[in-house]
Amino acid sequence: MIQPHSSHPAHGTGPLPGGGQLPFLATKILPARFGGLVARPRLLATLSELPAKRLGVIKAPAGFGKSSLAATWAETLEQDGNAVAWLTIDPDDDEATRFLFYVSQALHHACPDVGTGAIGLILENNLIDPTAILSSLINDLAEIEDDVYLFLEDYHWVGASRIHQTVAYFLKHAPSHCHVVLTTRTEPPLPLATLRAQNQLIEIDAEALRFDIARFAGS
């Protein structure tokens, strides 16, 4: 069984390359709450496919409701007893150590048995290979029996190739009960073609988001 959420992060700060300290903002690992949302039953029905998929991508320009749909998905999954980790990415997170620090904190918040070792590795050595951090996270997740969902909000802010490589590594090697959902304004440079061929990808684009709103409005 998934244990209750950790009430606090494993560590408050972490190192940055060059020896600086990385402040930890707890609000980055909490999904936004939206009031007065438009019902989207057709897209929410797609949620039933997520347990059989590795990756979900919600891609559209600003203003199409990507964040609200992702937050609704996350809330529904959590209400069903799943472990749900959330990270809101901003331009300052475009660095591998910082990104992995926050991913580790998000997973630890969702599953207290996950992420402590990875966070410790980052705190001990800010030049550690990201693969070692990922291996620690993946090994922890392998010990969790229930499904785990990692939401990465605003993934379009990620430009560093090393971060894309770490996400691709996670998608390839994480246990099958781990699932990633991205919201993004642009096509992420991840192995989408491979995931499509393996039937491991859910994609929701601007057309689907627009059609759902229009359908609800009766237009």
Side-chain angles (χ1 to χ4, degrees):
M1 289 292 293
I2 296 297
Q3 297 298 315
H5 283 184
S6 175
S7 61
H8 53 78
H11 300 278
T13 60
L16 285 171
Q21 285 296 308
L22 170 64
F24 176 76
L25 298 175
T27 51
K28 286 173 61 63
I29 63 170
L30 299 175
R33 301 298 181 186
F34 295 87
L37 292 177
V38 174
R40 292 182 162 187
R42 184 178 62 87
L43 293 182
L44 288 176
T46 307
L47 182 66
S48 63
E49 301 177 28
L50 270 178
K53 307 295 183 181
R54 177 68 71 181
L55 176 65
V57 176
I58 307 172
K59 184 187 73 173
F64 275 74
K66 300 185 300 297
S67 297
S68 60
L69 177 61
T72 303
W73 273 16
E75 183 176 2
T76 301
L77 288 164
E78 199 169 47
Q79 289 174 349
D80 289 342
N82 298 287
V84 178
W86 181 282
L87 171 59
T88 298
I89 300 168
D90 60 46
D92 292 337
D93 298 322
D94 195 23
E95 189 280 316
T97 300
R98 181 185 180 102
F99 178 81
L100 286 172
F101 179 69
Y102 270 103
V103 167
S104 301
Q105 292 281 11
L107 288 168
H108 179 71
H109 180 74
C111 306
D113 292 333
V114 174
T116 301
I119 294 168
L121 287 172
I122 296 171
L123 291 173
E124 290 170 8
N125 183 359
N126 59 21
L127 298 178
I128 192 167
D129 185 343
T131 303
I133 301 169
L134 287 168
S135 296
S136 178
L137 288 174
I138 290 168
N139 290 340
D140 285 350
L141 288 165
E143 299 298 320
I144 302 295
E145 296 183 358
D146 300 272
D147 281 37
V148 179
Y149 296 84
L150 172 62
F151 283 74
L152 299 176
E153 165 82 340
D154 290 341
Y155 191 78
H156 52 267
W157 291 123
V158 174
S161 60
R162 198 172 193 189
I163 295 179
H164 297 308
Q165 291 165 6
T166 63
V167 175
Y169 184 94
F170 184 88
L171 290 170
K172 182 178 181 179
H173 294 288
S176 60
H177 60 267
C178 296
H179 319 277
V180 177
V181 179
L182 310 179
T183 71
T184 179
R185 299 176 188 172
T186 58
E187 184 89 350
L190 297 170
L192 302 186
T194 299
L195 291 167
R196 288 189 194 103
Q198 296 171 344
N199 195 27
Q200 288 293 309
L201 176 64
I202 292 176
E203 297 176 274
I204 295 177
D205 59 12
E207 182 178 356
L209 291 164
R210 184 188 295 114
F211 174 79
D212 210 61
I213 292 176
R215 185 182 181 192
F216 177 81
S219 56

